[in-house]
Each structure stands twice: as structure tokens, then as C-alpha cells.
Amino acid sequence: MAWVYLSRVVQGPCAAVSALIASVGVVEAARAVRESDLPESLRPATQQRRGIDRAARDLELAERIGARVVTPDDAEWPAWRLLGLARLDAGREGAMPLALWVRGPGSLSACTERAIAVVGRRYNDDYGAQVTGEVVGDLVAQGWTIVSGAAFGIDGIAHRVALSLGGSTVAVLARGVDRPYPAAHDRLIAQIAESGLVVSEYPLGVPAHKHHFLARNRLIAALSDGVVVVEAGSRSGARNTAKWARRLGLPALAIPGPVTTANSVGCHRMIREGEARLVTRAEDIIEEAGPLRLSQPDTTESAVSGNEALVFDALPRTGSRQPRELATASGIALPEVRAALPVLEFAGLIGVDENGWHRIRHGP
């Protein structure tokens, strides 16, 4: 209830509130916001909507449409995926999402384990449609999830191809998951929610605003192993998504188009100016985005140090623990615990289940 209340108060990323939660816990943070018992520096971010508390109603509506709220304390939270955002300057627009609203049957963490973002122009031509279909089809055939923004054009084509082949696809929206956008894609988004996932950091009923789309782009990038741009104008929002990929240390990739069309001007500029690497087929994309997943993790406890070692030592030999319990046991701050957990998971030392994080035994 506290997470849902705060999600509606801040409506998007809010580094100040996230820091407050990490310091005092979500229940106490919700109380402080509700009663305006805050330092002056925290009040501007919460003052406008702190009196709106419809958490019970939000949860009831979410259950009715098959949605849920996923928080950093949940096993479903894609901690490894969001590690890059956690390491960016928390005072900038790249702040971690406070919580994520998810509609669909799968686990967000599992669905984005091997994922490629495919984005591009809203007004594509036949070339863009053909290339998107071929690339997405080959990626789906090799088990990759397709992440996009459910917009007209390349986004919609990428989702439809993935669905038609029985693949996994994730749509990240710039408004509540109960309010399809664009409205003409209501059927497409409903189909994605049946077998894939529809995701937003904005609570139910929140409409889309211009700045939401730029914030949404960082999540499209963060939930993927790399971003592929298929057709982009000179000022395309797809270029912004590719920029987020670079900031997060992920591959930014672009497919060239005919030099006679304006639809690929943005892709050609990104390639020419070194903002994106040229790719033409799924194999190129996997070569750029896949190496991290192909390397074998070091499963020795001596392979970790610093905060990772402290968190690992705080885990019991048997049983699971939640991040907040590990923060108490290890003596380090909750955000650092959340950053360390996916590093340990990738090293093959720990796993996560419905009860929390636990050690993985190796050998007899």
C-alpha cells in the first residue's frame, strides 16, 4: 500500500523519494510524505499530490485488469537490468523507477533475461517494415524477447511479429498500463498483455505527457541487452533511446536504409558520427549484444570483493533473505545491497526465489 501510494504521489522517477525510502523504509517514507513531515528540499517533489491516497482502489483495479505493482523488494524486480540506472547520477533524469506497474502473466525479470529493444519511426515505409519483420523474426527464433514502446510504425511491427511467432515481447508505456497509447493500439496492447508484458512506471489512469516519453525511453533501453534502431528521422525519439543505451553501457545499433529516403537519415547520422554501430541482420545484433551472456561466470567466492563480498557474507548458508534484511546484516545501505545482488547472481553465487535471495551450492 505504501509503494502504491508513493507511486501515485511522484508519478515517475523521483531520486529524492527513492533516497528517503532507502533511508527510513517505504512505510515510514509514505507517512512522512502524507503528513509533509519532510525536509524542505523534499517537499516540492511530493507537495502537489501527497493528499491523494487511493492505494486500495488502485490495487483493486489492477487485479481486475490482470496488473500488479512490482517494487525493488520483489523477486520479480529486474535488479540486474536496472543496475545501470542505479549507477547513474541519481539527481538526473536517469533515476531508478520508484516502482513498476506490470500487466501480463510472465515475470518481468525472467522475460527480460535475453532481450533486444527494437525501435524506430512512427511512419515507416515498406523497407522498414520488411527489415523489422526479418530481424525480429530471426531474434525471436533464437529465443530473444523483443522490447519496444508500442508506438505506431516500427514499434508496433516489432511487437506484432514477435506475437505472430509465439515469441516474448514487452511493451513499455508512457502512461498507466490501463490506458493504451496510442488508443488505436488498444487491441495490440491487450494481446501483448495476454502472453507478454505491458510495463509502466506511471500508476493506473495517468495520461501521457511529453516528458514521459523521454523518461520511458530509458526503461526501454535498461530492460534490454541492446537497442536497435530501424528507420529514424533527424529528430527521432528512437535516437534518444539509443542515447540511453550508450549511457547505460549497452550497444546502440542502427540498420542503414536507402540513401534516397529521409526515413533513415537518423540511422545514417548515428552510424556516421559513431553513435551507433551498423548492423544488417539478427546475427550482427546478437554478436554485439550477446557476449555478456555467453561468458562463463566465476563461481568462486574469492571472485567478489567490497560490497558484493559483504552482502554475500550476510546471506545464511540455508534459507533466503530480502534486500532490507541483508542491508541490516551487512551494515551497508539498501541501494548498495540492491546493486550488489545482481552482480552476485551473474557470478553464479546466489539465486532468487519467491522468498528472496539465497546462496547457490556448487559441487558436492
Side-chain angles (χ1 to χ4, degrees):
M1 296 286 281
W3 284 108
V4 174
Y5 163 71
L6 291 173
S7 176
R8 183 161 296 281
V9 170
V10 302
Q11 294 192 10
C14 183
V17 172
S18 293
L20 179 64
I21 293 171
S23 175
V24 302
V26 68
V27 173
E28 174 59 19
R31 182 207 63 77
V33 168
R34 186 180 291 109
E35 299 176 8
S36 197
D37 182 18
L38 298 166
E40 191 62 38
S41 60
L42 282 176
R43 291 181 182 177
T46 61
Q47 197 68 22
Q48 182 179 355
R49 289 182 292 268
R50 68 181 180 85
I52 304 174
D53 189 351
R54 43 173 287 182
R57 180 182 171 189
D58 281 342
L59 289 173
E60 180 183 353
L61 177 57
E63 184 177 6
R64 193 182 310 160
I65 66 171
R68 60 197 178 278
V69 63
V70 177
T71 76
D73 289 334
D74 296 329
E76 187 181 351
W77 184 258
W80 168 253
R81 284 288 177 215
L82 299 177
L83 183 60
L85 288 178
R87 290 179 173 174
L88 288 177
D89 181 0
R92 302 178 64 180
E93 74 277 14
M96 286 275 286
L98 183 74
L100 293 172
W101 293 82
V102 180
R103 181 181 169 197
S107 160
L108 180 58
S109 179
C111 284
T112 56
E113 180 64 25
R114 293 178 76 238
I116 296 292
V118 179
V119 296
R121 276 181 62 90
R122 287 179 172 84
Y123 305 104
N124 64 282
D125 58 23
D126 291 343
Y127 170 82
Q130 178 183 347
V131 171
T132 302
E134 291 175 356
V135 166
V136 170
D138 289 343
L139 288 170
V140 168
Q142 297 187 55
W144 290 81
T145 292
I146 303 301
V147 180
S148 198
F152 289 128
I154 300 301
D155 289 25
I157 294 169
H159 288 306
R160 288 189 178 95
V161 172
L163 289 171
S164 69
L165 297 174
S168 175
T169 188
V170 175
V172 184
L173 304 186
R175 64 192 305 176
V177 296
D178 61 328
R179 303 188 67 175
Y181 187 88
H185 275 181
D186 58 343
R187 180 173 175 80
L188 171 62
I189 292 172
Q191 290 174 331
I192 295 172
E194 289 177 3
S195 59
L197 292 175
V198 179
V199 179
S200 176
E201 61 185 322
Y202 304 101
L204 304 181
V206 171
H209 297 287
K210 187 175 181 179
H211 68 277
H212 289 183
F213 291 96
L214 295 178
R216 182 271 307 268
N217 290 345
R218 86 191 195 289
L219 291 182
I220 292 177
L223 292 174
S224 309
D225 287 282
V227 172
V228 181
V229 181
V230 184
E231 293 194 327
S234 59
R235 300 179 64 183
S236 172
R239 291 187 65 190
N240 177 259
T241 309
K243 176 183 176 181
W244 273 111
R246 296 194 304 275
R247 287 189 64 188
L248 294 169
L250 300 168
L253 313 169
I255 296 179
V259 296
T260 54
T261 177
N263 283 8
S264 293
V265 167
C267 290
H268 296 160
R269 180 176 297 174
M270 285 190 289
I271 294 168
R272 183 177 68 250
E273 297 180 359
E275 296 177 6
R277 293 183 65 87
L278 185 153
V279 292
T280 60
R281 54 182 186 159
E283 287 73 15
D284 299 340
I285 297 168
I286 294 171
E287 183 178 346
E288 294 291 338
L292 180 63
R293 301 294 176 186
L294 299 178
S295 60
Q296 292 297 317
D298 187 340
T299 57
T300 62
E301 297 177 18
S302 61
V304 295
S305 59
N307 285 346
E308 288 82 12
L310 291 173
V311 172
F312 183 80
D313 289 342
L315 281 166
R317 293 291 176 181
T318 59
S320 301
R321 293 293 184 272
Q322 291 293 328
R324 189 169 298 281
E325 296 175 297
L326 292 172
T328 301
S330 65
I332 63 176
L334 185 58
E336 280 70 36
V337 170
R338 289 173 176 153
L341 289 170
V343 176
L344 291 167
E345 183 183 22
F346 182 69
L349 293 171
I350 68 173
V352 63
D353 55 29
E354 64 275 9
N355 297 315
W357 296 86
H358 57 83
R359 294 192 183 203
I360 294 177
R361 292 177 60 88
H362 297 282

